[in-house]
Amino acid sequence: EVQLVESGGGLVLPGGSLRLSCAASGFTFNNHWMTWVRQAPSKGPEWVANINEDGSKRVYVDSVRGRFTISRDNDKNSLFVQMNNLRAEDTAVYYCARWGLNDNHTPDYWGQGTLVTVSS
Amino acid sequence: QTVVTQEPSLTVSPGGTVTLTCASSTGAVTSGNHLNWLQQKPGQAPRALIYNTYRSHSWTPARFSGSLVGGTGALTLSGAQPEDEADYYCLLYYDHRYGDAWVFGGGTKLTVL
């Protein structure tokens, strides 16, 4: 059974940093692109970042580029996002998701999310 | 900035048929946008129903189908059930000309009533 479990969320001051983790199990982690998607309270989801199978390619939404860094540890089946210089508008539930294989361009499995609150 | 537009809300009768649409500010939605449709119920993570415009996941009820109609993406629900009441989001891919990014639509709140 595919499982994705996020952790690391919490309350952080504006300008602060936070590192989220996503523990993956039930599939061959290093075969899949992975992604972070966030959802602000009462808003729709927003794609944040993708990383390819070996971590050599990373893409970001404009609003986080230069502040967030997506990474992965294939030996530990884990996905991360380092979030620096956090702003109030980064407040959201952060989900990790797995992308389908080959030509299956879809975030097929999702975690349950971890809440990040940026506030003074 | 790329904008993806959906109907804010729609209502369908139980057993009825409804089509949700997904339009792109850059022009026609094509197969290259790898259109996805996701369903989200309160308190839950989104769940992908349709990908690559018309392909269904193994868990997708057969009453959901995806297509392209007149340059927009479409999700058709035929024979709506009460459990289909949810928020629906489309998701489009934009290649390097637009930043190699994925963009969600604003979502459609579907009421089954």
Side-chain angles (χ1 to χ4, degrees):
Chain A
E1 178 192 6
V2 173
Q3 285 198 325
L4 298 167
V5 180
E6 302 93 338
S7 61
L11 176 63
V12 61
L13 294 171
S17 298
L18 210 55
R19 187 190 194 215
L20 305 183
S21 301
C22 172
S25 60
F27 65 101
T28 305
F29 183 69
N30 60 10
N31 282 352
H32 292 261
W33 281 68
M34 297 293 295
T35 191
W36 287 99
V37 172
R38 67 184 179 183
Q39 189 166 25
S42 301
K43 300 292 186 183
E46 178 185 36
W47 169 78
V48 174
N50 277 4
I51 188 167
N52 72 340
E53 297 90 336
D54 65 5
S56 61
K57 182 172 183 179
R58 311 172 195 199
V59 286
Y60 301 92
V61 68
D62 287 347
S63 59
V64 309
R65 189 175 296 115
R67 299 187 301 124
F68 289 14
T69 302
I70 188 172
S71 63
R72 63 192 297 160
D73 184 336
N74 286 343
D75 291 334
K76 297 182 178 178
N77 291 345
S78 294
L79 176 72
F80 307 99
V81 61
Q82 175 68 42
M83 305 185 295
N84 297 330
N85 191 20
L86 283 161
R87 307 166 180 167
E89 54 265 35
D90 296 317
T91 293
V93 174
Y94 284 73
Y95 298 100
C96 73
R98 185 190 85 164
W99 284 91
L101 289 173
N102 304 320
D103 292 333
N104 295 332
H105 300 283
T106 182
D108 55 4
Y109 286 91
W110 294 62
Q112 281 306 301
T114 186
L115 176 62
V116 172
T117 303
V118 184
S119 176
S120 56
Chain B
Q1 182 179 352
T2 304
V3 177
V4 178
T5 302
Q6 301 180 243
E7 299 88 355
S9 63
L10 290 170
T11 299
V12 61
S13 300
T17 296
V18 65
T19 296
L20 289 63
T21 66
C22 177
S24 171
S25 63
T26 63
V29 176
T30 69
S31 61
N33 291 115
H34 304 308
L35 170 63
N36 277 252
W37 289 96
L38 298 95
Q39 177 192 65
Q40 187 177 32
K41 296 182 179 180
Q44 297 183 13
R47 182 179 69 154
L49 296 177
I50 301 291
Y51 65 101
N52 288 5
T53 304
Y54 61 86
R55 294 185 181 179
S56 297
H57 286 286
S58 58
W59 51 79
T60 304
R63 58 185 180 272
F64 289 95
S65 62
S67 63
L68 295 178
V69 179
T72 66
L75 176 71
T76 299
L77 171 58
S78 303
Q81 300 298 309
E83 60 266 30
D84 298 329
E85 186 162 295
D87 294 324
Y88 291 84
Y89 297 95
C90 65
L91 174 62
L92 297 178
Y93 170 71
Y94 292 89
D95 65 22
H96 63 278
R97 296 170 296 170
Y98 302 100
D100 196 15
W102 289 85
V103 181
F104 282 91
T108 296
K109 184 176 183 62
L110 182 66
T111 300
V112 180
L113 187 62

